[in-house]
């Protein structure tokens, strides 16, 4: 699966011979982890599993960074690693400026990293992470959306379905982009980074380069599709028990998108006097881009107004649906958090009432509540500590805070003069890039997978 | 208790006759609530309790705002209400500039509001809020620190002890300030706002006006004392079972203070080349001021470095100990959150281990965990929504975010050009002041007390 894409790519750019080698390495590593995860002895599953998942991502990022580091692009190793991590975690923050004049090989490499990272995270969340919970805390119960092993009895079928859906959607997206006037190269790259909710572009101006509302609308549609739980598409492929609205997070996510987009358009109508129709298209595109954690921009939306900035800031936390390529807190957790708060308010008023929490048709277990809760602590704790660390390397508060946030949520652009949608991460010092790389990995692997490794008692028997 | 102080005050400023009236009103309201809380029928306790507590605070703020609104100070009603709320919640954010030339009556009124708000919150958290949990969720279990009804069998004794401790510490603080060269008026005012961890000053330059390291050190000591759980002093008064270190939050709080102060001093030594000894005094004073949620400043610490800003930003979240006059997340919750995260990591690695959580010598109940968790959600949820609301009124992101934070945590100063330690809230539009007033009340009443009233199901039977 990896090699054809990589070969096709290497063909196109014979000056980067290192690509073939790295592509091969990635393939080997992937095979190794697949074997290792299967052959693992049961009693070692938990510790080894977390260690393996983290190691594989780190190794993949290392491999992904090599072509960038050895290429003609002027980046430090920290920069190359950051760029690769930003690709594979589908964050999309970049240290490279002057994308328009970059070798096409490098551009395609960046897009491929995101595309592979996208299917990688869907696969990992649905297939590998649930096995880590076996017999333990149902840590990723919500990620698997609804017992996928019931929906599709066999893992192979699910894997095949996911890949097919991902490829099909990417193709459809590429065709849509091409038909709307993008070159084949731009369409391919943007289709890959759209479906990965990655946000890497082949132009410094991102989607603004094309200056075409129809492209923005098409992109909006595919970003939303990419941020829905992918099990939906697999069910669509094998259409028994197909119930799109059974998963409450989908409705919640779509409603949040609609409300916030509308709110931004309204503020632009009032504050900037932008015609509402025009404002609605670009507001929806940029808001959907942030909330799906894609990170494209059609223009510098932080110039619209403080009110718009506030909404984009909120959207940077929220994220898409679990089981998709999107990051952030995610709509399923928002649903659970809301239900938990409501239940505890009710208990406070009616101490003797028996309250059962239901996520869709399923009861929410105490373990699920704990899992979501822990994620929330870790998210905000990491956000604050990351901010403090970055200020230690001289970053101002807004850059440090929004940088950590955008990395943890895998969004891409931050706020402020430096890393806002019109800026990039090229001026940040190397130590800051390392911190942000760590934050991207933490966010992508749902925090606990990595943080548990830092916890001493894990290593004591 | 209220009237002597108010009379003493009215004597001094015969031009403000409205003070006597308002003072009397506060007394009457306090008496009313005391009667109402006792005479309440059991089945109405929960709902009525939350409603009453919120109403009383709102009424007190309204009363407190009247002298400011009708005085010679040039403020809108929103400004006067904000100032009064900021006083009674011991936040200390101010819309008034030119404090040095203000009538002394107004200055004393502001200090008195904070001082009364300080003892009010200690009393409420220890005496009234636990009764709201009767038969229901142990929502304020942690706030009452350790079953105060066991430490002191009778509520009257506890109340008397708390007031005595509060008055005694305020007197000691005033004596310390006077002996270090403050005028009697300045010493009295600052002693009251120190023990309330309020932060109102009689000078625009805050504690920087006195330019005396000995005053900073004395102030630091008393701020720390004010941020410790007050039950400690009551136990000291009645010295059976006196164990200062039994409550783990005290040690955690002191260690955090020491580590962060030291860290700031180090960054100033490295970045600003400030001599370490000199840096340590002012770093400790300003950091303790923020973490105890007092909010004094000896200089504009946001000019020191981005690294210092990062640490002050973190400190704005943390807060002091529960059962004190301090706000913020509070050390007891930090302890519980840490234990919960650790336990869930352990469970993940050792699925079959039985893990009991202990806070000091006491088991942590599932209800306590839920209470702390809910607080955490509400805190960050309110913080984000408050930020978005404030940007709607035109505030920039850093002012909106740090303004909401500083209000929710009852700290006082925010970050950025406008509401930083060198600025004030006078330029904010009225709607923003209302939002911030609400945030201060929410933070002071531990969020749930107020938010539960906004929840429809509370009103449905
Ligand atoms: K992204
Ligand atoms: K304060």
């Amino acid at each position: 699966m990896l090699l054809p894409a990589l070969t096709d790519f290497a063909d196109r750019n014979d000056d980067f011979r290192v690509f073939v080698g790295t592509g091969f390495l990635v393939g080997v590593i992937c095979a190794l982890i697949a074997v290792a995860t299967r052959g693992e002895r049961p009693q070692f599953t938990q510790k080894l599993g977390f260690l393996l998942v983290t190691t594989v991502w780190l190794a993949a990022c290392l491999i992904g960074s090599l072509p960038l580091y050895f290429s003609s692009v002027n980046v430090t190793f920290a920069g190359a690693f950051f760029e690769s991590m930003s690709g594979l975690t589908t964050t999309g923050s970049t240290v490279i400026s002057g994308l328009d004049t970059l070798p096409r090989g490098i551009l395609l490499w960046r897009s491929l990293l995101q595309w592979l990272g996208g299917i990688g995270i869907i696969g990992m969340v649905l297939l590998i992470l649930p096995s880590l919970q076996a017999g333990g805390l149902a840590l990723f119960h919500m990620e698997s959306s609804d017992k996928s092993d019931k929906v599709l009895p066999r893992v192979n079928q699910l894997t095949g379905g996911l890949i097919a859906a991902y490829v099909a959607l990417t193709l459809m997206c590429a065709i849509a982009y091409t038909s709307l006037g993008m070159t084949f190269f731009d369409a391919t790259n943007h289709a890959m980074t759209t479906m990965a909710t990655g946000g890497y572009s082949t132009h410094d101006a991102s989607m603004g380069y094309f200056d075409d509302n129809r492209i923005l609308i098409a992109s909006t549609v595919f970003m939303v599709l990419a941020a829905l739980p992918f099990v939906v598409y697999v069910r669509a492929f094998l259409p028994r028990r197909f119930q799109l609205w059974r998963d409450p997070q989908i409705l919640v996510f779509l409603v949040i998108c609609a409300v916030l987009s509308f709110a931004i358009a309204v503020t632009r109508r009032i504050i900037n006097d932008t015609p509402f129709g025009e404002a609605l298209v670009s507001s929806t595109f940029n808001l959907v881009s942030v909330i799906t954690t894609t990170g494209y921009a059609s223009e510098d939306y932080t110039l619209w107004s403080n009110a718009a900035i506030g909404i984009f800031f909120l959207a940077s936390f929220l994220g898409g649906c679990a089981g998709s390529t999107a990051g952030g807190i995610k709509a399923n957790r928002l649903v659970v958090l809301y239900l938990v708060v409501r239940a505890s308010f009710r208990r406070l008023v009616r101490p003797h009432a028996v309250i059962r929490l239901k996520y869709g048709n399923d009861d929410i277990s105490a373990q699920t509540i704990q899992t979501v809760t822990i994620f929330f602590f870790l998210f905000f704790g990491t956000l604050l500590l990351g901010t403090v660390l970055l200020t230690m390397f001289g970053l101002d508060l807004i850059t440090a805070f929004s940088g950590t946030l955008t990395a943890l949520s895998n969004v891409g652009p931050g706020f402020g003069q430096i890393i806002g949608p019109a800026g990039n991460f090229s001026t940040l010092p190397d130590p800051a890039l390392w911190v942000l790389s760590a934050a991207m990995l933490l966010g992508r692997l749902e925090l606990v997978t990595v943080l548990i490794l830092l916890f001493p008692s894990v290593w004591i028997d």
Side-chain angles (χ1 to χ4, degrees), chain A:
Chain A
M1 176 197 107
L2 294 174
L3 286 178
L6 286 165
T7 314
D8 156 78
F9 161 65
D11 287 348
R12 196 183 301 262
N13 303 270
D14 4 54
D15 46 341
F16 289 107
R17 262 159 278 156
V18 70
F19 281 134
V20 186
T22 48
F24 184 70
L25 261 171
V26 173
V28 170
I29 298 275
C30 282
L32 278 178
I33 175 60
V35 172
T37 318
R38 267 174 217 194
E40 218 166 86
R41 277 151 301 174
Q43 67 270 37
F44 276 7
T45 304
Q46 307 298 331
K47 291 182 199 180
L48 253 181
F50 291 116
L51 189 59
L52 255 155
V53 167
T54 307
T55 312
V56 167
W57 277 85
L58 280 175
C61 289
L62 192 65
I63 293 164
S65 69
L66 296 180
L68 297 165
Y69 185 56
F70 290 118
S71 75
S72 55
V73 183
N74 182 26
V75 282
T76 62
F77 180 66
F81 188 84
F82 174 92
E83 193 80 7
S84 170
M85 179 66 87
S86 173
L88 281 170
T89 58
T90 77
T91 305
S93 306
T94 183
V95 292
I96 303 173
S97 53
L99 293 174
D100 304 71
T101 59
L102 220 60
R104 286 156 65 102
I106 294 291
L107 291 175
L108 187 54
W109 181 243
R110 290 165 80 248
S111 307
L112 267 174
L113 284 176
Q114 292 209 319
W115 195 68
L116 295 174
I119 187 68
I121 196 65
I122 294 176
M124 197 191 77
V125 161
L126 287 177
L127 304 174
I128 300 179
L129 292 188
S131 82
L132 289 182
Q133 101 198 2
L137 190 60
L139 200 77
F140 298 97
H141 175 80
M142 297 314 303
E143 268 66 43
S144 67
S145 204
D146 45 285
K147 294 139 203 148
S148 45
D149 40 66
K150 277 190 190 165
V151 179
L152 284 178
R154 273 175 299 164
V155 168
N156 287 345
Q157 238 179 316
L158 179 58
T159 314
L162 286 174
I163 295 173
Y166 194 66
V167 171
L169 281 167
T170 309
L171 279 176
M172 282 159 63
C173 185
I175 292 167
Y177 285 155
T178 314
S179 69
L180 291 169
M182 279 197 200
T183 65
F184 177 74
F185 182 74
D186 278 351
T188 316
N189 278 280
H190 284 96
M192 288 196 285
T193 59
T194 301
M195 286 317 297
T197 63
Y200 271 159
S201 176
T202 52
H203 304 283
D204 282 344
S206 189
M207 282 290 186
Y209 172 86
F210 305 105
D211 195 21
D212 186 336
N213 276 345
R214 296 170 309 153
I215 287 183
L216 297 191
I217 292 169
S219 185
T220 305
V221 170
F222 280 100
M223 287 192 288
V224 169
L225 290 175
L228 296 182
F230 264 67
V231 186
V232 162
Y233 306 119
V234 181
R235 263 196 236 140
F237 269 58
L238 298 148
R240 69 195 143 109
R241 289 178 38 135
F242 175 75
Q243 288 163 290
L244 183 62
W245 305 105
R246 218 187 115 212
D247 189 349
Q249 66 171 334
I250 297 178
L251 188 59
V252 167
F253 167 69
L254 294 177
V255 168
I256 293 176
C257 285
V259 169
L260 295 186
S261 304
F262 189 79
I264 293 176
V266 169
T267 64
R268 288 176 70 196
R269 176 71 193 78
I270 295 171
I271 300 172
N272 313 88
D273 235 359
T274 317
F276 188 76
E278 196 190 309
L280 194 59
V281 173
S282 54
S283 301
T284 306
F285 170 77
N286 287 287
L287 187 275
V288 164
S289 169
V290 169
I291 204 168
T292 60
T293 73
T294 307
Y296 290 139
S298 68
E299 58 190 291
D300 186 352
Y301 47 74
T302 59
L303 298 178
W304 289 346
S305 67
N306 282 325
I309 290 177
I311 297 174
F312 280 110
F313 179 69
L314 177 66
S316 299
F317 286 87
L318 302 181
C321 296
S324 74
T325 57
I329 292 176
K330 300 203 184 80
N332 65 326
R333 293 203 186 91
L334 296 178
V335 172
V336 173
L337 288 177
Y338 170 75
L339 293 173
V340 167
V341 170
R342 194 178 65 173
S344 82
F345 277 10
R346 284 205 176 135
R347 260 188 225 112
L348 211 56
V349 178
R350 282 188 220 74
H352 304 294
V354 177
I355 297 161
R356 283 172 65 206
L357 297 185
K358 288 184 95 55
Y359 181 88
N361 298 325
D362 300 328
D363 279 332
I364 303 178
S365 68
Q367 284 187 336
T368 302
I369 292 173
Q370 201 186 11
T371 304
V372 172
T373 308
I374 300 297
F375 175 86
F376 204 79
F377 301 159
L378 297 178
F379 186 88
F380 282 93
T382 311
L383 179 57
L384 290 183
L385 291 181
T387 304
V388 172
L389 262 179
L390 288 180
T391 60
M392 293 289 153
F393 302 123
L395 273 57
D396 64 280
L397 186 57
I398 196 100
T399 303
F401 186 80
S402 72
T404 314
L405 170 62
T406 204
L408 264 185
S409 292
N410 302 125
V411 173
F415 292 88
Q417 296 299 312
I418 301 169
I419 59 167
N424 62 51
F425 289 69
S426 61
T427 57
L428 301 198
D430 278 2
L433 294 180
W434 287 114
V435 172
L436 288 169
S437 298
M440 290 189 271
L441 185 68
L442 282 168
R444 184 77 291 186
L445 299 184
E446 311 287 349
L447 290 153
V448 74
T449 318
V450 183
L451 287 177
I452 201 169
L453 300 176
L454 306 177
F455 204 77
S457 78
V458 172
W459 305 105
I460 303 161
D461 243 331

